[in-house]
Amino acid sequence: MSKKTILTGDRPTGPLHLGHFVGSLKARIELQEEHRQFVMIADAQALTDYADRPELVRQNILQVALDYLSVGIDPKKTTIFIQSLVPALFELTVYYLNLVTWNRLKHNPTVKLEIQQKGYGENVPAGFMVYPISQAADITAFKADLVPVGEDQIPMIEQTIEVVRKFNRMYNCGVLVEPKVMVSSIARLPGIDGKAKMGKSLGNAIFLSDSADDVAKKVKGMYTDPGHLRVEDPGKVEGNPVFTYLDAFGKDKSKIEELKAHYQRGGLGDSVVKKYLGEVLQEFLEPIRQRRKEFEKDPAEVMRLLKEGTRIAQDTAGKTLSEVRAAMGIDYF
Ligand code: TRP
């Protein structure tokens, strides 16, 4: 009974990458041991900006599920489900939309940034504009205590907390639970191009499903310290993604510290550091690849796991919806 509940999710718009691993997958693998965990494939949210490409969203449901399973999210411990098949989420969204102002929605910093990046200008799809409220429905439907996500999702959790408080106050109840955000110590992994964020649409990602060859090529081409021209020059470690990745994935911390010191002193070539990073990443990714191969043999079984998880999610979210309707006094029959 005292187990805390976790809910997180990903939009199925492409394969998951190392940034997802560091930002949230890793936490999920650990959290599933001691918590009641739900992981949602957020296809309905993906459609808020991919309405014209439902087939892409559809394809990526299986891909994201394979990513989950191959990193070690265990369907016996974690309920994995598909968002659009849980109708309670959309009913909750509609009720919650009345508790938030249009002005507040316009000021969600993540949404603002995305509107810019996507070049929507004045023509933001209404569904996109309100997706933080749909996310509040996702989180509260499961009465999640903890939401492990990347840093960019903090505004969503803040907005969820506002909805929870407003709902409980307005309807004089304690039905909804306030979630806490959980951000990993490495808040975000830079791209292989040195840009602040690894992104599937930015062309700077190493995917969990990349082949050994692809990973080797990507590491070779990685951005490092642009001022480190000759081997004997002292190089910068801060802001150098090669070292950020080593910190995130390397096990031999003392070796990494030595490499850093040597690099900063001068005399250590980028190619040597990259070669080591290549080995570290292959060692990390190989078991993931192997597990993926096993699950890929039977996609129907993966879909069956999703179906089973979705049934559990429907039950859980349906119960919360009944409580919400009762609290609002719209439980007519
Ligand atoms: N917005 C999240 C992302 O882009 C996905 C998501 C949807 C989510 N609903 C959620 C994350 C609820 C946590 C909780 O990664």
Side-chain angles (χ1 to χ4, degrees), residues 162-198:
E162 289 171 27
V163 167
V164 168
R165 291 189 181 156
K166 186 131 195 203
F167 184 94
N168 287 345
R169 196 168 2 100
M170 187 172 274
Y171 302 114
N172 197 17
C173 67
V175 168
L176 300 186
V177 173
E178 265 187 44
K180 280 202 183 63
V181 68
M182 200 178 156
V183 179
S184 83
S185 55
I186 301 177
R188 61 164 55 159
L189 203 67
I192 54 174
D193 56 358
K195 291 227 178 75
K197 193 181 167 185
M198 183 177 281

Side-chain angles (χ1 to χ4, degrees), residues 2-9 24-40 73 77-81 138-149 177 179-182 313 316:
S2 62
K3 265 196 181 179
K4 293 228 187 274
T5 302
I6 315 263
L7 177 113
T8 59
S24 66
L25 295 174
K26 186 164 180 244
R28 299 177 196 177
I29 299 160
E30 289 157 11
L31 289 165
Q32 68 184 347
E33 299 302 332
E34 305 288 340
H35 299 76
R36 183 169 165 252
Q37 179 164 260
F38 295 91
V39 173
M40 180 182 73
I73 293 180
K77 300 175 182 161
T78 295
T79 303
I80 308 175
F81 69 97
D138 302 335
I139 294 167
T140 56
F142 295 89
K143 303 200 174 178
D145 303 288
L146 283 176
V147 187
V149 279
V177 173
K180 280 202 183 63
V181 68
M182 200 178 156
T316 310

Side-chain angles (χ1 to χ4, degrees), residues 120-311:
Y120 282 142
E122 292 296 301
N123 301 309
V124 188
F128 186 83
M129 206 57 211
V130 305
Y131 90 73
I133 302 306
S134 136
Q135 198 157 330
D138 302 335
I139 294 167
T140 56
F142 295 89
K143 303 200 174 178
D145 303 288
L146 283 176
V147 187
V149 279
E151 192 184 39
D152 60 319
Q153 295 295 304
I154 294 173
M156 306 303 164
I157 316 307
E158 283 170 353
Q159 220 168 351
T160 300
I161 293 173
E162 289 171 27
V163 167
V164 168
R165 291 189 181 156
K166 186 131 195 203
F167 184 94
N168 287 345
R169 196 168 2 100
M170 187 172 274
Y171 302 114
N172 197 17
C173 67
V175 168
L176 300 186
V177 173
E178 265 187 44
K180 280 202 183 63
V181 68
M182 200 178 156
V183 179
S184 83
S185 55
I186 301 177
R188 61 164 55 159
L189 203 67
I192 54 174
D193 56 358
K195 291 227 178 75
K197 193 181 167 185
M198 183 177 281
K200 45 195 161 194
S201 54
L202 302 172
N204 64 3
I206 295 177
F207 296 104
L208 296 166
S209 49
D210 273 348
S211 68
D213 275 357
D214 284 341
V215 174
K217 264 186 225 135
K218 286 180 182 179
V219 170
K220 249 193 198 143
M222 262 177 88
Y223 173 94
T224 61
D225 170 12
H228 187 235
L229 296 175
R230 287 164 306 179
V231 172
E232 52 289 11
D233 292 340
K236 272 204 204 100
V237 162
E238 300 81 52
N240 188 333
V242 176
F243 286 100
T244 314
Y245 289 18
L246 280 177
D247 281 335
F249 297 100
K251 292 203 188 103
D252 190 345
K253 300 294 170 203
S254 61
K255 168 150 187 176
I256 295 168
E257 288 317 306
E258 260 169 52
L259 286 173
K260 283 183 185 171
H262 193 175
Y263 194 80
Q264 284 169 319
R265 254 192 338 265
L268 181 60
D270 282 321
S271 63
V272 178
V273 191
K274 284 180 175 176
K275 181 159 176 284
Y276 180 57
L277 175 62
E279 290 163 15
V280 163
L281 289 183
Q282 300 296 7
E283 190 186 322
F284 169 72
L285 288 170
E286 193 47 34
I288 296 176
R289 270 185 214 121
Q290 289 308 325
R291 271 198 298 267
R292 189 184 188 93
K293 242 189 229 154
E294 285 308 306
F295 287 112
E296 268 174 347
K297 283 183 194 156
D298 196 354
E301 169 62 11
V302 177
M303 293 314 281
R304 197 195 57 76
L305 290 171
L306 292 182
K307 195 167 174 185
E308 209 175 279
T310 300
R311 274 218 191 92

